[in-house]
Amino acid sequence: MATKEAAEILVVAGREVAVTHPTKPYFTKQAKLTKLDIVRYYLSVAAGALGGIADRPVVLKRFVNGAEGEVFYQKRAPESRPAWLRTAQLSFPSGRTADEIVVDDAAGLAWIVNLGCLELHPHPVRTGDLDHPDELRVDLDPGPGVAWADVRRVALEVRALLAEMGLEGWPKTSGSRGMHVNVRIEPRWTFTEVRRAALAIARAVERRAPGLATSKWWKEERRGVFLDYNQNAKDRTTCSAYSVRPLPDARVSAPLTWDEVADCDPADFTVATMPARFASIGDPHAGMNAAAGSLEKLLELAAQDEASGLGDAPWPPHFRKMEGEAPRVAPSRARGAEKAGGEKAAKTEKAAGGEKAAKTEKAAKAPKAPRAKMPLVVVANSQSKEAALAGLERWKVRHAAAAAHLAIDDVLVDSMRGRSSTWTRVRVNLRHVPEGERPAQETPDPDDDPTRAWREMRGKKRRPG
């Protein structure tokens, strides 16, 4: 019988923290790192990492079997935790609440990393005011085939726009293919207002760099680098500075100076290289808290967009329908949904009666350009990204003629977030395939959608009778 490995006891910030299974492999494919190596990495950059998470509720994104294993999200603080760890109670759009961990020092940081938290996912609020964010987050998410140079160009456009709005942006690599620009703001505005300001940024940068940047929510409409305004909706988190990402080389989300952005390479910043960089130059984002600015000019820009006819953009699917929101339906399903939505709106307005209803109904009859319907098919659903991508390759073999027409951005690999874990959906856009040669929708292979049972149960509850 194997002997259970003894915990490694570290004294951190005057507290004892036990690192269980310290030699457990966390990276094996390229970097060779154990759980204890990851804890020690975080302690070596603790002053910087705490700058992004201290005094903020944290969602625990746990890789309990290392970077190559499955991951799950844990909002609620574990019942078994040190007495010195604080919690804060957050409420969510669903109406539920959760007491989430709050990290105050390096000991708390080491404790959550011992739970398997490779990435750090803080909310953009402080515990003293959970309803008013003090951080606006610009998340630059490149589509398939988009070059890293384009991501850097969009980041510089963001910087220029923020400066015009009287705000200072703080750039960092995402640790994957994208970049984040965080903006410290005065905690005076609601989550809805901060998201509205982020949408104004996305639309303004899209106008400045058409074809290079996009504010389009639906993946089949995007071209270039997506500015994900919805990362500012309540209950959304992104990885903070110095977070370790589950890539083979153990790269990290690296805070940068603006002078570094034009020539930086995300692969230069890893668990192996970041401690020496931090010891040499310190934290490039150390001055962020002293640079809190106002959203007033951005909200004025948002008001101008709305006055010109730009309504609200789609929200994440688990949020209630918002007033003025664009149709929350993918373009691949747009025509049927719009027709049904139009009929429902007409009936509602007609029933309301009065001069306002008549004007609204008349306006509704005015012709408008229909949304383009994209010919998408779902080819794989799986809790394993590797299994989903293997299913895509089998689909390409079965439909080799159609696959030959695909552009790189016709394959949409979606990381879908369930209630506590992520899963992968792979879709193929057949827009470049001649209509007569387009394969029909088949049963996805594999077809393991962990949310299906929940959605079916929810649908039954909504049906009358």
Side-chain angles (χ1 to χ4, degrees), residues 311-378:
D312 197 359
W315 285 67
H318 61 287
F319 282 76
R320 63 178 176 81
K321 183 73 172 177
M322 300 294 181
E323 183 179 354
E325 181 183 352
R328 197 181 292 182
V329 58
S332 52
R333 300 166 51 204
R335 289 176 187 167
E338 283 198 345
K339 182 179 179 182
E343 290 174 353
K344 182 178 179 181
K347 289 178 181 178
T348 302
E349 295 294 345
K350 191 171 182 180
E355 184 179 348
K356 180 179 178 182
K359 289 181 179 178
T360 304
E361 189 171 357
K362 184 177 180 181
K365 292 179 180 177
K368 64 178 182 178
R371 298 171 75 199
K373 183 175 181 179
M374 299 292 182
L376 268 70
V377 292
V378 180

